[in-house]
Amino acid sequence: MADTFPRQHARTRRFSLGVPRSFRISPDGARIVFLRSKSGLDQVGCLWQYNVGTGQEHLVADPAVLIPGGEQLDPAERARRERSREQAAGIVSFATDAQLRIAAFALSGQVYVADLTGQHPVRQVSTPVPAADPRPDPAGQRIAYLHERALRMTDLGTGEDTAVAEPGDTPDLAFGVAEFVAAEEIHRMRGYWWAPDGSALLLARVDDSGVQRWHIADPANPGQPATAVRYPSAGTPNSAVSLLIAGRDGSQVPVDWDAAAFPYLVTVSWERGGPDGLLLVVQSRDQKQMRLLAADPRTGATTLIRADTDPHWLEVVPGVPGRTSDGKIVWIADSGGARRLLVATAAEHAAGAAEPVTPPALQVREVLDVDGEVVLFTATQQDPTQARLWTYGPTGLNAIPAPDEQPRVQTGRLAGGTLLTASRTAGSAHQATAVLRDGSPAGQIAAHAQEPLVPAPRPDIFRAGERQIVTALLLPSWHQPGSAKLPVLVDPYGGPHMQRVMASGALYLTSQWLAEQGFAVLIADGRGTPGRGPRWEREIAGDMARPVLEDQVDALAAAAARCPDLDTARVAIRGWSFGGFLAALAVLRRPDVFHAGIAGAPVTDWRLYDTHYTERYLGHPDDSPKAYERSSLIADAPSLTRPLMIIHGLADDNVVVAHSLRLSQALLAAGRPHTVLPLSGVTHMASQEQVAENLLLLQVDFLRRALGVAPAPARAAAR
C-alpha cells in the first residue's frame, strides 16, 4: 500500500521523530548532550553527545540495547507524558550533574546513569520500582528520584538507598511531584530541586485531599474499573502545595510564605548558596499578583524581592528568575505595553528601581539561558510570526545574526561561550541546528526527520481587518487563480498560549494537505493569542467567546476580499481543544458565516475546565457567573442549524469527555441532529497512529459531504 501524508504524519509523530531536542551544554562549552531518535520513523529517543571541538557526535544510551523487550510505562509515567504532551518513547527526558559528567534517566520505571566522560558504560541503578524523574546532585555523587508518592535518594558510590520524604499511610499526599495545574498549565514539570552544594533537597509537599475526584472510564472495556483522578475544575479546591528543605543529615525545614494568599508555586531557582540564593515565584489564585521571594535555606524564612500586579492577570513566562554571575536577578515584566527583560540586583528589584533593558518594540517570549553575565532569550520584534534570538550582557542588547534573511522561528542554548541555535524557517519543514563557538561556526547537529509527502506550504501571510489580525491563507498547489471557486476551511487554534501563524513551514503541513483535498485553508491568530504583547492577550478577559469569534469572521472577510477564488457560501471550520471550542462556537453563533464545523475535544462548559487556566480569563465562577455564561456553548445548543461533528477521546483527562457529552445531550434535547465520534482509549493528544491517520481522513469526508465538495483532482488525492 502506498504511503500517504495522513499515515506519514501519524507515524512520524507530526514529523518530530529524528529531530534533536532537549539540549544541555557543558559549563566549558565543549560538549552538548541531547535527545534524538535514530530516524524519522523511529519512536525511541536515544541520548547523544556532540563534541564541539571535533564536530563529532556519538550515541551515549540506546533504550533498544538497555531494554531489548521494549519499554513498559506505569500509569503515573503515562500521566506525566500526557501533561508534557510527550509522544515519543524511550528516553524522553534526562538530568545531569553541574559539570555534565553524568546523565540520569528512567526507562520502564528503572533508573539508569550514563557516564558522559566515556570512561564507563551505561548502568542501571538499583532502586525500588517504579522510579521516575531521576536527578543527580550537582557533584554527580547521588541520584534523587520519585518512587510512587515518595522522594528517595541513592548514593552512587555505596548503593545506599534512603527515603528523603514519604507519605506513609496518607493516600492523598505526595512529595517531590508537580501537581496537576503545575504540569498542565504552569509548565512546571518538576517538584524537587538540589541545593547547589548537594547538601539538601527542596521538595514540594502536595496534598490532594481537597481536590475533587473524577472518574475516567473506558466504556469499550466494561470489565475494567474507571480510573480515579484528582481534577481541580474552575471554582473548586486546588492541591495544597508547600515546600520543605530536607538535609542529607535528616533535618527538615519548612519554607514559610503566605500560601493562603499565594497558593500557586510557579517555579524555583536554586543556583547558588547563601541566605538569598534560593528563589521562589508564587502567584495568587486570581493570578493578578505574583511575588518573587528569597528563602533562607537555614530557617525557611522568606523575604520579598519584588511584587508584580495586574488588573487582569500576570502571565507565567518560562526561564525566570535567573541569576547572572555577578548576582543580578533576571526577570520579565510587563512595561510600556510590552513584555520586557529586567536584569537588576535584588535591592533594585525590591525598591522598584529595576529598569527594563529591552525596548517596548521588543516582546520577550522566553529566557533560555544565563551564561555568566550574558542572558540569552527569544523575542518578537514588529513581526509576531517570527521569534528570534537575542542576548543582553556587558556589551548591551544584541540580536543573534541569522545565516540568511528568511523569516524564522528560533530557540537555543548558551553556555561556556558555545551557542546552539535551533531554527525553522518559513520556506522549510525542517529544523536546522547550528553550533557556534565564540561566535564562529562549529558544526551542525543532524536531524533525521522524514520529508513530508505534501507540497511545500507557501502560505500567504497578511494582516486582516482593522485589528490587523495575523492571517495565513493556503491554496491547493494545483489551483490556477481564477479557474474555480474553492470552499473554505478555517483551521484555527485561536486561543491563549498558541500561535498558528508563524514563520515555520512545519506548522502548515496538515493545513497544506487539507488544501490539496480541494479547500482554501485559512488560519488566523486573533485576540488572546501570544506574540503581540500583554494588551492583545488580555482582550479576552471576561469573555472567551465574542472576541475570538469576531476575529475569525473578520479574517475570513479580509481573505475573501484579498483572494476572489474563496467561496464564502461554503465555509467550514475545524479545531482541537480551544480550537474545538471555537469551531463549535462558530457554527452555533454565526451559522450565516460558517456552514459546517468539526469540534475536536472541545471545552463546552468552562466550569468543567481546570482552575489555573479558566480562572485566569474568566475569574472565579462564584464571582463572575456572567463570564462563564457568555463563554459556555451549552445554552446555544437549540441554535444549531449547520452540520457539526464532535470528536472526543474517552480517556481524555485534560478536557474530559463530559464536555462533548453535555453538548450532545443539549443538542439532542433541542432536537438538533449532529455527529459524535467517540475515541475509545484515546487521550487529549490522540497520538495513536491509526487514530491520528483516520481522524484526518474522516474529517475530510465529513467536510465534503457537509459542503457538497467533490473529490480533489487525482494528483492531489494520491498524496
Side-chain angles (χ1 to χ4, degrees), residues 299-510:
T299 65
T302 57
T303 56
L304 180 65
I305 299 296
R306 66 174 292 131
D308 290 83
T309 60
D310 187 87
H312 295 299
W313 68 79
L314 290 159
E315 203 70 39
V316 173
V317 181
V320 294
R323 285 271 199 183
T324 61
S325 57
D326 58 357
K328 291 179 180 176
I329 297 175
V330 180
W331 190 250
I332 294 174
D334 297 343
S335 174
R339 198 151 284 138
R340 302 170 73 182
L341 183 71
L342 290 79
V343 182
T345 65
E348 289 170 331
H349 281 289
E355 293 293 330
V357 298
T358 52
L362 205 63
Q363 298 286 351
V364 178
R365 303 173 75 102
E366 180 178 4
V367 170
L368 300 167
D369 264 319
V370 180
D371 183 28
E373 295 180 46
V374 179
V375 182
L376 177 71
F377 62 95
T378 56
T380 294
Q381 186 179 34
Q382 297 178 341
D383 181 2
T385 70
Q386 297 195 59
R388 304 293 288 267
L389 288 170
W390 294 73
T391 60
Y392 174 80
T395 62
L397 183 65
N398 296 284
I400 300 295
D404 54 53
E405 297 301 317
Q406 286 193 73
R408 67 190 61 236
V409 176
Q410 292 180 299
T411 186
R413 299 301 305 264
L414 175 66
T418 293
L419 171 66
L420 178 145
T421 67
S423 302
R424 292 183 182 271
T425 63
S428 172
H430 299 299
Q431 174 180 295
T433 305
V435 181
L436 295 93
R437 179 68 171 169
D438 297 325
S440 298
Q444 301 261 346
I445 295 179
H448 305 313
Q450 282 211 322
E451 191 66 35
L453 295 171
V454 68
R458 294 289 184 266
D460 175 20
I461 297 177
F462 60 96
R463 299 289 187 103
E466 294 181 359
R467 287 184 289 276
Q468 296 289 286
I469 302 158
V470 181
T471 305
L473 177 64
L474 297 101
L475 302 178
S477 61
W478 44 264
H479 177 71
Q480 297 296 319
S483 62
K485 286 282 192 177
L486 294 170
V488 183
L489 175 58
V490 181
D491 190 23
Y493 181 78
H497 295 171
M498 183 183 290
Q499 283 178 263
R500 287 289 315 280
V501 186
M502 297 198 75
S504 170
L507 295 177
Y508 303 102
L509 293 174
T510 300

Side-chain angles (χ1 to χ4, degrees), residues 1 6 64 88 93 117 180 182 249 301 325 388 390 401 465 498 521 549-550 566 619 644 712:
M1 180 184 294
S93 65
T117 68
F180 180 90
D249 58 4
S325 57
R388 304 293 288 267
W390 294 73
M498 183 183 290
V521 179
L549 181 54
E550 284 181 353
L566 270 59
L644 173 63

